[in-house]
Amino acid sequence: MLREMDMFNHLSDFDNVLVVDEFGKTLYYDLADLNVLAKLGHRPEDFLGNKVTSYYTNLTDENSTIMTVLRTGKALCNVSQEMVAKTGSSYISKSSTYPIINHDQIAGAIEFSRHYYTKENMQYLDQYKRHKVYRKNNTIYTIEDLITKNKNMQEIKMKMERIAKHDSTVLIYGKTGTGKEVVAQGIHNLSDRFAKPFISLNCGSIPENVVYSTFFGVEKNLATGVEEWKGVFEQAAGGTLFLDEIYALETHLQAKLLKAIEEKTIRRIGGSVDIHLDIRIISATNEDPETLLKEKRMREDLYYRLGVIQIDLPELKNRKDDIEMLVSHFIHFYNEHMNISVETVDPEAMDCLRLYNWPGNIRELKNAIETAFNNTTNKIISIDDIPMRIRKASNFVDSSSKEWTSMDLKDVIDDYEKTIIANELHNANGIIAETARRLGVSKQTLKYKLGKYELR
């Protein structure tokens, strides 16, 4: 019995489950993240009812793990196999496959797998849902994703555990990249609402003409042909509604939002019935709330209602004691998902990372480690693998370098700013509103700088 348990213990490491009939046709497929697979060239309907070898250009009845198990009736455990999609995209699948026996006949097979992505597909990993238990409630993170030994951050984690069981509103203030959504999802997954949805909305990305319907929904109207639409308040029923960049709303819309939160009721556009709310509101801002109030970009009454509990996240430059731990965490993450084996960062490179001030905070550090993974040819990340802008800012570039000494201060600053903007534009898939949100600037300012640096 113990030997059988040992054989199946490793299955908890897998994310995906595939069940096929005796002919290798898919009966059931549960994936950790449909979005990632779709980016690689598949749609959900491509799978059901079709033979597993039809999904990929390099699979045959002879080399497919599923087809081999159906043919032999013997399990295959921890097998790594390259999967090449019809678009040419590829990934490594590590799987364990078992036959399904019915009355001594092979009736099908079940395969448990996990996908490892190539360097070229790394831009999709931010969407990868690592916590299988929570992925059904729209979350990616738990409190365990707040990697820290910093005293202030430890206190924030303890505060999250205290407040999670209550429904008081929470306002999270932190600069871009400090982990506001990680904290919000962490609170949700610590709360009694964890089985209900976590709905996230960036208020700065909503076109003004659809703000009301986005929040409150639309009632079906047969006469006009308007279809029913649930707003985010209804979508979050029983769970948590996370509102990022709440100050981006016009003040008259802030008033309507305040009314809904205060009265815990909404009414759809075209509706005649009030809908009662059972949700928790968590909001976030990357600008100092006191500045927003002083500049009258946030209503005082809304601020007081949203900020019953306020969490101020420190910038990475103020928690540099966490850098080594975070680097280790990101090395583990990219080893696992890029199918690469990097052991550590050499002392010079680590000194460089510690000296840098990280204006993009944890998100920028993660991107820097991803860059290093793409640059390195060894098991140890060296100073040459670190992005140039970080080496320059940390003064880890050879002082005799012509490229460096020929640039005056303005050129250095412009070069650094251009690199930051280009990286965030890439990470946001070219979406200007999302890039502006990540950088903490207005869309108008970003458009000006895109033109200035010829990035458009």
Side-chain angles (χ1 to χ4, degrees), residues 321-366:
D321 49 334
D322 279 339
I323 286 179
E324 190 167 349
M325 181 180 288
L326 287 165
V327 168
S328 177
H329 172 73
F330 293 139
I331 286 175
H332 175 77
F333 176 83
Y334 288 120
N335 276 339
E336 187 174 5
H337 295 300
M338 291 178 73
N339 206 27
I340 295 175
S341 180
V342 170
E343 295 176 355
T344 188
V345 175
D346 74 23
E348 186 182 23
M350 185 61 75
D351 286 343
C352 176
L353 297 176
R354 290 196 190 98
L355 285 171
Y356 186 60
N357 268 338
W358 300 107
N361 294 292
I362 298 171
R363 182 183 294 135
E364 186 183 5
L365 175 60
K366 182 180 179 182

Side-chain angles (χ1 to χ4, degrees), residues 71-221:
R71 185 173 62 253
T72 65
K74 296 180 179 179
L76 292 174
C77 296
N78 289 319
V79 176
S80 292
Q81 190 170 31
E82 183 180 17
M83 318 294 275
V84 181
K86 293 178 179 178
T87 60
S89 299
S90 66
Y91 57 90
I92 303 298
S93 175
K94 185 176 182 181
S95 62
S96 287
T97 314
Y98 303 90
I100 299 172
I101 308 297
N102 183 29
H103 300 299
D104 297 325
Q105 296 292 320
I106 298 175
I110 182 168
E111 182 167 274
F112 304 87
S113 66
R114 188 169 198 177
H115 300 156
Y116 297 84
Y117 298 93
T118 61
K119 292 179 181 180
E120 290 74 18
N121 290 317
M122 283 307 295
Q123 64 265 36
Y124 307 130
L125 283 184
D126 279 338
Q127 303 172 30
Y128 183 80
K129 294 174 171 54
R130 298 184 297 283
H131 297 283
K132 296 187 286 292
V133 174
Y134 292 104
R135 68 179 187 232
K136 299 300 184 184
N137 67 5
N138 302 325
T139 64
I140 303 173
Y141 306 109
T142 72
I143 193 172
E144 299 304 321
D145 289 292
L146 288 171
I147 309 300
T148 186
K149 63 178 182 180
N150 177 266
K151 180 181 177 182
N152 290 340
M153 286 300 299
Q154 292 284 11
E155 290 175 356
I156 287 173
K157 290 180 74 169
M158 289 188 288
K159 185 175 185 178
M160 289 169 60
E161 291 174 338
R162 288 197 306 272
I163 67 176
K165 302 300 180 184
H166 311 294
D167 280 342
S168 300
T169 57
V170 181
L171 175 63
I172 305 168
Y173 163 54
K175 297 294 185 181
T176 299
T178 51
K180 296 184 289 295
E181 183 144 1
V182 179
V183 172
Q185 291 188 17
I187 292 171
H188 176 77
N189 283 328
L190 285 168
S191 76
D192 293 336
R193 296 178 177 271
F194 75 90
K196 299 296 183 178
F198 177 93
I199 302 297
S200 178
L201 179 68
N202 185 317
C203 300
S205 65
I206 318 170
E208 188 171 350
N209 62 323
V210 296
V211 169
Y212 197 93
S213 60
T214 299
F215 277 112
F216 307 121
V218 179
E219 191 71 21
K220 185 173 184 177
N221 189 317

Side-chain angles (χ1 to χ4, degrees), residues 257-266 274-277 305:
L257 182 64
L258 174 63
K259 184 174 185 292
I261 296 171
E262 287 280 8
E263 298 180 0
K264 295 186 177 180
T265 59
I266 59 168
D274 288 337
I275 299 171
H276 294 277
L277 303 175
R305 189 67 193 87

